[in-house]
Amino acid sequence: MQRRGFLKALAGAALVGPELYPAASGARETSGNAPVRIGLMLPYTGAYAQLGTNITNGFRLAMAERGQRLAGRGVEILTLDDESNPAKAPENAHRLVSRDKVDVLVGSVHSGVALGMARVVRETGTPWINPNAGAAEITGSLCAANVFRTSFSNWQTIYPLGQVLRARGHRSAVFLTWRYVAGEEAAAAFREGFEQAGGKVVKELYLTFPQTDFQALLTEIAALKPDAVGTFISGAGAIKFLKDYAAAGLRGRIPLYGSGFLTDGILDEVGDVAEGIETTLHYGDGIENKKNQAFRLAYAKTFKLQPDVYAVQGYDAGQLLALGVEAVQGAVGRRAELLSAMAKAKIDSPRGRLVFSSAHNPIQDIYLRKVVGRENRVIGVAHKALADPGRGCKMA
Ligand code: PHB
């Protein structure tokens, strides 16, 4: 309850609007050292609210570690709740860029929302860091000099899972997900990986986002009797799905797998119904590097919570931005130089070293994780240094 109250307070605070951290206490702002304006467009309500909050926490931590200053300038963070609603995305992004005149846009979680943001930043040239949404097009046909992603492509997170299922001896699988960009891309990538490895996807089952009425689909799975079930479901939906899967009597009968979004950030809330589930993702518990240890400690101290993959992606969005702003000594108007420094970045990320493809998508290890108690414990690397193919990207 305490944790919930804390999260609510944090999310509530995020809705209030701009937060200003002056360049130096007592110093007068001049146009020369006016704060860098950062628009965080993320979900703070709905199925992905917790994800938006954790990304925000991670981003704030990266700013706090720099004393709320980038190259000597203060930072001003404006938050906007995008509600994971793609229909409102272009208007919301325009508000931040044209009315609020942010120097950089950070967001979002939902792929449909991010595709709306892509249209706006391609028109305006605003530097954009996407800290989650995995739609292929963003670092594919819509790639651009000002478009960066510190998270993943949907394909990257689940393509390696097929090999894992075959290694466990599974020959047939059903895939269950939400019917929208991220779910459809995950289904296709899972099929590609599993069928290349010699398996067969016998059926794909879809539910409208963000519905969580899984019962009819679970009845269908029981009738189809596949060797295994693969899934992309995330956030509040994942909590409900894991509980429903167990309640339907499928747990222990048909092993469940997924991209790691299925079990990340929710283990405290699902009890033991996720125990033993194996997933693939670019982060997990027990990654042993100095940066991860320091990050986890600082995050836990600041937010009284354990970080998850979303917090890492938000933190790295902050790290990438800091690197760019420092490269131009705070002169964010020198966009070409700022963006070129970001493209060449080598970031010390809690996930391991983070570098970007020519399409500005992370090239990263995809870990195999297994739920043990309250942890998504890393038990191996499912695919080393995996790069998204970046189909259709023609960088200007
Ligand atoms: C997406 O819409 O791209 C998305 C949303 C939530 C996740 C992962 C991907 O956990």
Side-chain angles (χ1 to χ4, degrees):
M1 281 321 286
Q2 217 177 353
R3 178 166 176 258
R4 248 173 234 264
F6 178 77
L7 283 177
K8 252 194 203 138
L10 208 66
L15 294 174
V16 176
E19 280 169 48
L20 182 68
Y21 303 98
S25 55
R28 275 186 62 200
E29 297 290 347
T30 66
S31 57
N33 73 350
V36 179
R37 287 169 76 81
I38 306 162
L40 297 192
M41 179 168 152
L42 289 162
Y44 296 111
T45 54
Y48 289 156
Q50 174 113 45
L51 287 57
T53 298
N54 296 356
I55 289 168
T56 305
N57 288 349
F59 189 85
R60 287 202 171 117
L61 181 60
M63 295 302 114
E65 284 180 359
R66 289 159 178 84
Q68 313 291 359
R69 288 222 257 290
L70 299 177
R73 294 180 64 180
V75 293
E76 186 175 5
I77 297 177
L78 294 93
T79 53
L80 187 153
D81 178 11
D82 68 35
E83 304 162 39
S84 292
N85 185 346
K88 293 188 187 164
E91 189 191 325
N92 280 335
H94 254 304
R95 223 169 84 193
L96 284 168
V97 169
S98 307
R99 191 193 68 182
D100 299 330
K101 307 223 173 330
V102 296
D103 296 305
V104 57
L105 200 54
V106 175
S108 185
V109 169
H110 185 290
S111 275
V113 171
L115 289 168
M117 296 174 82
R119 273 175 39 201
V120 174
V121 300
R122 281 168 63 87
E123 268 167 42
T124 60
T126 313
W128 175 35
I129 304 176
N130 168 3
N132 188 76
E137 276 180 281
I138 291 166
T139 54
S141 58
L142 297 176
C143 80
N146 58 323
V147 171
F148 288 83
R149 178 150 59 191
T150 55
S151 52
F152 54 84
S153 72
N154 291 316
W155 177 86
Q156 266 180 320
T157 61
I158 200 163
Y159 166 76
L161 189 58
Q163 291 265 9
V164 176
L165 264 72
R166 285 297 295 124
R168 301 288 179 263
H170 306 314
R171 292 187 175 281
S172 64
V174 164
F175 196 81
L176 184 149
T177 189
W178 276 314
R179 168 129 0 246
Y180 83 97
V181 183
E184 285 161 9
E185 289 184 356
F190 173 80
R191 180 186 290 274
E192 185 185 334
F194 189 47
E195 298 197 344
Q196 267 175 16
K200 177 85 192 136
V201 175
V202 293
K203 190 142 193 195
E204 288 167 3
L205 299 173
Y206 290 96
L207 201 63
T208 305
F209 176 85
Q211 287 175 13
T212 56
D213 192 5
F214 297 109
Q215 203 47 54
L217 303 183
L218 294 174
T219 304
E220 202 172 341
I221 290 173
L224 287 164
K225 295 190 181 60
D227 290 349
V229 171
T231 184
F232 161 74
I233 295 284
S234 178
I239 297 173
K240 171 82 165 32
F241 179 67
L242 289 167
K243 290 182 178 169
D244 286 3
Y245 199 82
L250 291 173
R251 188 172 128 73
R253 269 174 55 205
I254 306 178
L256 180 62
Y257 297 83
S259 49
F261 309 118
L262 179 64
T263 56
D264 231 74
I266 59 159
L267 292 177
D268 284 343
E269 299 183 52
V270 294
D272 64 358
V273 296
E275 187 69 24
I277 292 178
E278 290 182 325
T279 60
T280 45
L281 205 63
H282 51 289
Y283 188 64
D285 292 307
I287 294 174
E288 293 198 7
N289 64 55
K290 274 207 183 115
K291 185 68 178 185
N292 195 35
Q293 281 164 0
F295 167 75
R296 296 188 73 95
L297 213 65
Y299 192 93
K301 211 170 133 193
T302 310
F303 302 107
K304 312 287 179 262
L305 287 171
Q306 289 305 313
D308 59 9
V309 69
Y310 309 105
V312 170
Q313 293 167 176
Y315 180 73
D316 287 340
Q319 295 212 88
L320 179 62
L321 175 64
L323 182 148
V325 175
E326 275 149 24
V328 293
Q329 290 95 42
V332 293
R334 278 155 50 195
R335 274 188 181 164
E337 274 173 80
L338 176 120
L339 298 172
S340 130
M342 283 167 59
K344 288 186 218 127
K346 292 186 179 65
I347 288 177
D348 190 10
S349 165
R351 76 189 86 174
R353 200 170 102 118
L354 174 59
V355 293
F356 298 90
S357 67
S358 55
H360 301 172
N361 191 63
I363 300 173
Q364 54 196 346
D365 293 348
I366 304 297
Y367 299 105
L368 175 61
R369 307 121 41 95
K370 182 178 182 142
V371 176
V372 181
R374 297 290 177 266
E375 283 193 355
N376 282 290
R377 191 171 294 169
V378 169
I379 57 168
V381 176
H383 202 122
K384 186 98 195 124
L386 187 60
D388 182 88
R391 286 184 195 109
C393 171
K394 286 193 194 73
M395 194 65 75

